[in-house]
Amino acid sequence: MYGVVLILVLVVTGGAIAFIGDRLGSRIGKKRLSVFGLRPRHTSILITIITGVLITTLTFGVMAAVSENVRTALFGMEKLTRSMMETQSQLEIAKADLEDAERQRKNMQQDLDATQGEVDRLHEEQSELRSESDRLHAMNGSLLQENGALLAQNDNLSAYNQELSASNTELSGQNKLLGDKNTKLTSDNAMLEKYNRALQHGIQTVREGDIVFQAGEVISSGVVRGSRPESEVADDIATLVQLANRNVSIRLGKDSGEEIWIYQPEFDAAVSNISKSPQDMIVRIVAAGNLVRGEPVRTTLLLYKNSIIYKDQEFVISRVYEFHKNGEAAAEQVLMDFLQRVNQAAAARGMLPDPLRGTVGVMQGAEFYDLAKELSGMDGSVTVSAYSKGSTDALGPLRLDLRLALQIAQ
């Protein structure tokens, strides 16, 4: 009802001001009056504008005078907005606190449930302990009775115990004498064992059959790529060391437990040289001397530059032999002589021969005997030629393809 009255007052007041302004503007227009030196027409327009301003000013003034909400909307909106934002922030904080309190309540409830369960378990254990205590009390009574009986028997045993103590004293003296003798015998036995080990070692050293690796014998070998980080090169050489250990185990027996020994500075120098080398290197792990069974397997590292020596089906050497059906034994001698010359030619070409046998080439036994049989039936000048079977690097071995050609007399 208060708002309706206020609206009616504003409508009547605005209408009155508009009427007065209109009448005043019409009179000024008819009399052609001038204000502030303006033309009459412009003066009429100015009066109309002032009337509208008065209507608006009066409207807001009356509303602000009679309504606190209007004053707040006109002059305290920013403060109201700021207050609303602060209230909203406090509401969110209160909501977060409420959620946190709810979580704490749930956690406390869980802890309470767990505590209640622990209390129930302790009550059960207490009941069990009480039952056990009652049982132990009953057993204690029985033991007290038995203890009384044993005390009575103990009086009878005391005299016998004194006799045993006298005997024990006498036996202790004898045991001490035996202990002194046993100590002397143990010392003598250790000395004899030492002499026995030294004697066995000397016997093994002088026996040729106990030399498991000859000086310079290759225990393992392989090709290691150069121009790589030292860590990768060291891993590759370590693989060759593992292969050498396996070969030593095979030679000495799987349960020997022997491992090769390499001088660490020599190992590090080999790793450094291969890492800096622009080409691949052949690494041979060879026995440093004649190794007798039971001694440390001392070895040394030998490095050689690697390269392709023979390509597949590349000619190696050939030689002409005069053969007149001399039999298989003579044919085998001819082939053995030719293989020795192949070894010499391949070694001169750059292949690494076996340090003990001096060989570089290999061929199957069946193929060798087939060639000997074929050669044994030939009569005249026979050309024996060797070709590589597959590409072969300096490490080898050189697999051979031997061919026989009988020269026809002109």
Side-chain angles (χ1 to χ4, degrees):
M1 187 63 183
Y2 172 75
V4 174
V5 173
L6 178 60
I7 292 172
L8 291 175
V9 170
L10 291 175
V11 169
V12 172
T13 304
I17 293 173
F19 176 77
I20 293 170
D22 180 67
R23 299 299 295 176
L24 182 59
S26 298
R27 180 171 296 182
I28 290 173
K30 291 179 179 180
K31 294 184 176 183
R32 302 185 65 81
L33 298 177
S34 176
V35 179
F36 303 118
L38 297 176
R39 298 174 62 183
R41 183 172 178 272
H42 293 165
T43 301
S44 176
I45 294 173
L46 178 61
I47 293 301
T48 303
I49 292 172
I50 292 173
T51 302
V53 170
L54 289 175
I55 294 173
T56 303
T57 302
L58 181 63
T59 300
F60 281 111
V62 172
M63 291 180 65
V66 300
S67 175
E68 183 178 0
N69 292 333
V70 173
R71 288 196 301 273
T72 301
L74 292 177
F75 307 110
M77 184 59 68
E78 293 181 359
K79 181 178 179 182
L80 180 61
T81 302
R82 199 163 46 247
S83 176
M84 290 177 63
M85 292 177 64
E86 291 177 356
T87 304
Q88 182 67 26
S89 175
Q90 292 176 359
L91 178 61
E92 292 178 356
I93 294 174
K95 184 178 180 181
D97 293 340
L98 180 61
E99 293 177 353
D100 187 38
E102 181 65 22
R103 284 195 299 270
Q104 292 180 0
R105 187 192 66 79
K106 290 182 179 179
N107 293 335
M108 292 177 64
Q109 183 64 37
Q110 292 177 355
D111 294 340
L112 181 61
D113 295 340
T115 304
Q116 185 62 38
E118 186 68 17
V119 169
D120 295 339
R121 186 181 65 80
L122 291 175
H123 279 303
E124 293 178 358
E125 291 182 356
Q126 186 180 16
S127 300
E128 294 176 357
L129 290 174
R130 285 178 180 174
S131 301
E132 185 67 16
S133 178
D134 295 339
R135 187 179 67 83
L136 291 176
H137 279 300
M139 291 179 62
N140 190 32
S142 300
L143 290 174
L144 288 175
Q145 295 177 357
E146 293 179 0
N147 189 34
L150 290 174
L151 288 174
Q153 294 179 3
N154 190 38
D155 294 336
N156 298 327
L157 293 174
S158 296
Y160 182 68
N161 188 34
Q162 292 177 356
E163 295 178 0
L164 290 178
S165 296
S167 300
N168 187 38
T169 301
E170 183 180 357
L171 290 174
S172 296
Q174 296 178 0
N175 188 38
K176 183 178 180 181
L177 294 175
L178 291 175
D180 294 338
K181 294 181 179 179
N182 187 41
T183 301
K184 186 175 182 301
L185 289 174
T186 301
S187 177
D188 294 341
N189 188 39
M191 185 68 69
L192 290 174
E193 287 182 356
K194 180 179 179 181
Y195 290 153
N196 186 36
R197 286 196 299 269
L199 181 60
Q200 289 180 354
H201 178 71
I203 293 173
Q204 290 177 352
T205 301
V206 298
R207 290 176 56 193
E208 183 179 358
D210 286 335
I211 296 178
V212 292
F213 287 103
Q214 298 182 21
E217 183 175 354
V218 178
I219 301 178
S220 69
S221 62
V223 178
V224 179
R225 292 188 296 110
S227 298
R228 290 188 301 158
E230 291 188 359
S231 59
E232 297 181 5
V233 175
D235 291 341
D236 289 347
I237 298 180
T239 301
L240 293 178
V241 172
Q242 292 178 359
L243 176 61
N245 288 328
R246 188 187 66 180
N247 294 337
V248 169
S249 298
I250 293 173
R251 183 75 63 89
L252 298 178
K254 293 184 178 180
D255 298 330
S256 65
E258 292 287 347
E259 292 186 354
I260 67 170
W261 181 86
I262 299 177
Y263 187 47
Q264 188 62 40
E266 182 181 5
F267 183 91
D268 297 338
V271 171
S272 178
N273 291 336
I274 296 174
S275 177
K276 297 175 183 178
S277 175
Q279 64 184 111
D280 299 345
M281 300 290 285
I282 296 174
V283 179
R284 277 184 169 180
I285 301 178
V286 300
N290 290 338
L291 302 179
V292 179
R293 185 183 300 275
E295 290 183 341
V297 185
R298 295 183 300 275
T299 62
T300 185
L301 296 177
L302 299 180
L303 305 181
Y304 305 92
K305 293 182 179 180
N306 189 37
S307 62
I308 298 298
I309 305 299
Y310 291 103
K311 298 180 181 179
D312 186 26
Q313 295 300 318
E314 183 176 351
F315 173 76
V316 181
I317 63 168
S318 65
R319 184 173 176 81
V320 179
Y321 292 91
E322 292 294 331
F323 200 82
H324 302 286
K325 297 183 180 180
N326 297 337
E328 291 189 11
E332 291 178 3
Q333 291 295 327
V334 169
L335 292 178
M336 290 298 295
D337 177 76
F338 180 73
L339 289 176
Q340 290 179 0
R341 297 179 184 275
V342 169
N343 286 332
Q344 294 172 1
R349 185 78 174 265
M351 290 197 63
L352 298 177
D354 184 272
L356 299 182
R357 295 182 295 272
T359 58
V360 296
V362 293
M363 66 178 302
Q364 296 181 355
E367 184 180 356
F368 178 84
Y369 290 114
D370 289 343
L371 285 171
K373 185 176 181 180
E374 181 182 355
L375 179 60
S376 64
M378 293 184 175
D379 186 9
S381 299
V382 180
T383 302
V384 184
S385 303
Y387 295 86
S388 65
K389 186 182 294 184
S391 296
T392 306
D393 57 11
L395 180 61
L398 173 61
R399 292 175 174 80
L400 298 174
D401 181 11
L402 299 186
R403 303 172 188 177
L404 304 178
L406 180 62
Q407 297 182 4
I408 300 174
Q410 298 295 332

